[in-house]
């Protein structure tokens, strides 16, 4: 297997059996498990150290995707926990202040639009893009500007954006280079991309294999996510652990 970050060969790091295979299931009670074996690979290239699994998902897997953080399975429970939303709002307000960015925001993988809602007072133009029909339905019900599509270079945005956010999405992406290139192409000059992913190093080093899901293809370390963006024309401002030690 080739590393999705640097393209080098990877080696099998571990084999994981009988884990929760969908993020959605992780938040429901009880958590149902499937008898599935996941091989976890590690890149041995110096300065990378990326972890990943193979992509065995159907092509239309995300068409009706949702995240349910509460046991009640209805549209109103889709989205982020309130404490995480407050963290994201504080983070983005700091980014606006620190980098003096403009007035347009694109949230990639926007789900049902929570980031757009909390940041609409701070940006004149807030747009989201999301592949899930179910999540887009709720976002549009809120009156939010959301595109129901997969994020790539074939999507025709009318403008470039001063700030692009991508929270808890990159771990799901197989074509990382193409995805990062799409972020770059849609970012305005002197714009800022704000990325948040689970801390793969913490998950792997502590054998937190209940956090290894079939839909989470990538497990980033600070080194591998830095390498990914530097290899794709970005200048890295900072890489930090935050919230519950995510990156």
């Amino acid at each position: 297997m080739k590393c999705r970050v640097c393209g080098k060969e990877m080696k099998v790091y571990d084999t994981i059996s009988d884990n929760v295979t969908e993020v959605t299931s992780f938040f429901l009670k009880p958590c149902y498990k499937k008898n599935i074996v996941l091989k976890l690979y590690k890149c041995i290239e110096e300065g990378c150290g990326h972890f990943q699994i193979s992509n065995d998902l159907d092509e239309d897997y995300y068409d009706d995707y949702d995240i349910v953080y509460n046991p009640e399975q209805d549209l109103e429970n889709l989205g982020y926990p309130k404490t995480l939303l407050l963290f994201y709002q504080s983070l983005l307000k700091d980014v606006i202040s620190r980098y003096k960015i403009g007035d347009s925001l694109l949230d990639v993988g926007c789900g049902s639009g929570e980031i757009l809602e909390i940041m609409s007072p701070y940006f004149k133009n807030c747009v989201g893009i999301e592949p899930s029909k179910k999540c887009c339905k709720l976002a549009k019900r809120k009156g939010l500007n959301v595109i129901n599509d997969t994020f790539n270079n074939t999507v025709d945005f009318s403008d470039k954006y001063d700030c692009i956010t991508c929270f808890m999405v990159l771990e799901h992406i197989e074509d990382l280079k193409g995805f990062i290139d799409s972020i770059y192409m849609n970012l305005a000059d002197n714009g800022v991309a704000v990325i948040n992913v689970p801390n793969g190093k913490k998950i792997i080093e502590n054998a937190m294999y209940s956090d290894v899901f079939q839909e989470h293809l990538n497990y980033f370390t600070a080194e591998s996510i830095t390498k990914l963006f530097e290899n794709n024309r970005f200048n890295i401002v900072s890489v930090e652990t935050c919230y519950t030690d995510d990156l």
Side-chain angles (χ1 to χ4, degrees):
M1 177 179 282
K2 300 285 188 181
C3 177
R4 296 188 184 102
V5 169
C6 70
K8 303 296 184 180
E9 287 291 339
M10 308 187 82
K11 290 187 176 181
V12 175
Y13 178 83
D14 206 346
T15 301
I16 307 167
S17 301
D18 197 29
N19 263 32
V20 176
T21 56
E22 298 177 0
V23 171
T24 305
S25 300
F26 181 74
F27 296 101
L28 299 178
K29 296 180 181 180
C31 292
Y32 295 103
K33 295 187 177 183
K34 298 179 181 178
N35 186 19
I36 189 169
V37 175
L38 298 177
K39 285 190 176 181
L40 183 64
Y41 294 83
K42 181 181 181 180
C43 181
I44 58 175
E45 178 73 6
E46 185 176 355
C48 183
H50 185 62
F51 294 90
Q52 66 188 48
I53 63 174
S54 62
N55 183 9
D56 298 318
L57 302 174
D58 294 334
E59 188 173 341
D60 61 353
Y61 180 81
Y62 290 102
D63 286 358
D64 288 310
Y65 185 77
D66 61 56
I67 287 290
V68 183
Y69 286 92
N70 296 309
E72 297 79 12
Q73 298 182 57
D74 59 63
L75 283 175
E76 300 307 320
N77 286 316
L78 298 183
Y80 297 112
K82 289 182 179 179
T83 53
L84 181 56
L85 276 178
L86 290 173
F87 165 75
Y88 283 147
Q89 186 180 54
S90 175
L91 171 66
L92 290 173
K93 286 169 66 176
D94 180 64
V95 168
I96 293 169
S97 174
R98 188 183 304 182
Y99 302 109
K100 311 300 180 187
I101 60 178
D103 58 8
S104 60
L105 169 71
L106 173 65
D107 187 30
V108 179
C110 67
S112 51
E114 290 83 4
I115 299 300
L116 302 178
E117 283 188 287
I118 63 171
M119 296 312 298
S120 59
Y122 307 97
F123 292 93
K124 292 181 180 178
N125 180 27
C126 288
V127 179
I129 182 167
E130 167 61 44
S132 168
K133 297 180 181 70
K134 185 182 291 185
C135 289
C136 280
K137 179 180 178 181
L138 180 56
K140 290 179 179 180
R141 185 189 297 174
K142 300 173 184 176
L144 300 172
N145 186 1
V146 175
I147 301 166
N148 185 198
D149 205 342
T150 300
F151 180 67
N152 53 48
N153 278 333
T154 66
V155 180
D156 184 18
F157 294 100
S158 57
D159 299 297
K160 293 194 174 185
Y161 295 88
D162 300 304
C163 182
I164 295 181
T165 52
C166 186
F167 296 149
M168 297 299 176
V169 173
L170 281 182
E171 62 272 20
H172 297 262
I173 303 302
E174 181 168 27
D175 180 12
L176 288 174
K177 185 181 185 306
F179 194 91
I180 301 306
D181 184 60
S182 296
I183 293 177
Y184 184 89
M185 296 301 295
N186 287 288
L187 195 63
D189 292 342
N190 299 314
V192 176
V194 185
I195 312 297
N196 182 217
V197 294
N199 188 337
K201 183 176 182 180
K202 175 185 174 183
I203 292 170
I204 305 306
E205 288 188 348
N206 292 284
M208 298 166 60
Y209 288 166
S210 61
D211 286 339
V212 177
F213 303 103
Q214 191 179 20
E215 63 192 50
H216 281 191
L217 307 179
N218 303 297
Y219 298 84
F220 294 97
T221 65
E223 292 76 18
S224 70
I225 199 162
T226 297
K227 191 176 189 70
L228 174 65
F229 279 87
E230 286 183 339
N231 286 353
N232 290 280
R233 298 176 287 178
F234 278 85
N235 295 319
I236 308 299
V237 175
S238 68
V239 178
E240 305 172 3
T241 56
C242 57
Y243 196 60
T244 56
D245 287 334
D246 293 327
L247 294 174

